[in-house]
Amino acid sequence: MSQSKPRCFTSRRQFDLWVEAAQRIHPGGSSFCTDCSPEYQQRMVALHRCAYPATSFHFDADGYVEGRRPVEDRIKRREVA
């Protein structure tokens, strides 16, 4: 996989496993921030390992926490049209 490992993952292997699972669960694409949690984000921010500290968290229809990065951030990184 050509994508570099985000700093919030502990290893390249951990990130590769996440990518494989995300592709099976969300074939159209997913962001690792979507699968983050407020607690993990706080820990990564404190360790200066969170690249997206403006990510906010919401409950989805099934009651699961879902991370959402600001639209401006995703546009800047050309992740949305």
Side-chain angles (χ1 to χ4, degrees), residues 5-22:
K5 172 190 83 67
R7 295 177 306 189
C8 57
F9 285 82
T10 57
S11 69
R12 178 62 200 204
R13 175 76 176 137
Q14 181 191 41
F15 180 62
D16 290 344
L17 289 171
W18 178 86
V19 170
E20 289 173 20

Side-chain angles (χ1 to χ4, degrees), residues 51-72:
Y52 306 104
T55 296
S56 59
F57 296 91
H58 307 270
F59 286 98
D60 68 11
D62 297 321
Y64 293 100
V65 173
E66 178 180 278
R68 295 183 189 161
R69 290 194 353 239
V71 173
E72 305 82 35

Side-chain angles (χ1 to χ4, degrees), residues 33-74:
C33 291
T34 301
D35 292 336
C36 193
S37 70
E39 299 80 15
Y40 191 74
Q41 179 197 40
Q42 287 176 341
R43 212 166 74 210
M44 293 298 103
V45 167
L47 295 170
H48 305 285
R49 289 178 48 194
C50 180
Y52 306 104
T55 296
S56 59
F57 296 91
H58 307 270
F59 286 98
D60 68 11
D62 297 321
Y64 293 100
V65 173
E66 178 180 278
R68 295 183 189 161
R69 290 194 353 239
V71 173
E72 305 82 35
D73 179 55
R74 296 187 339 243

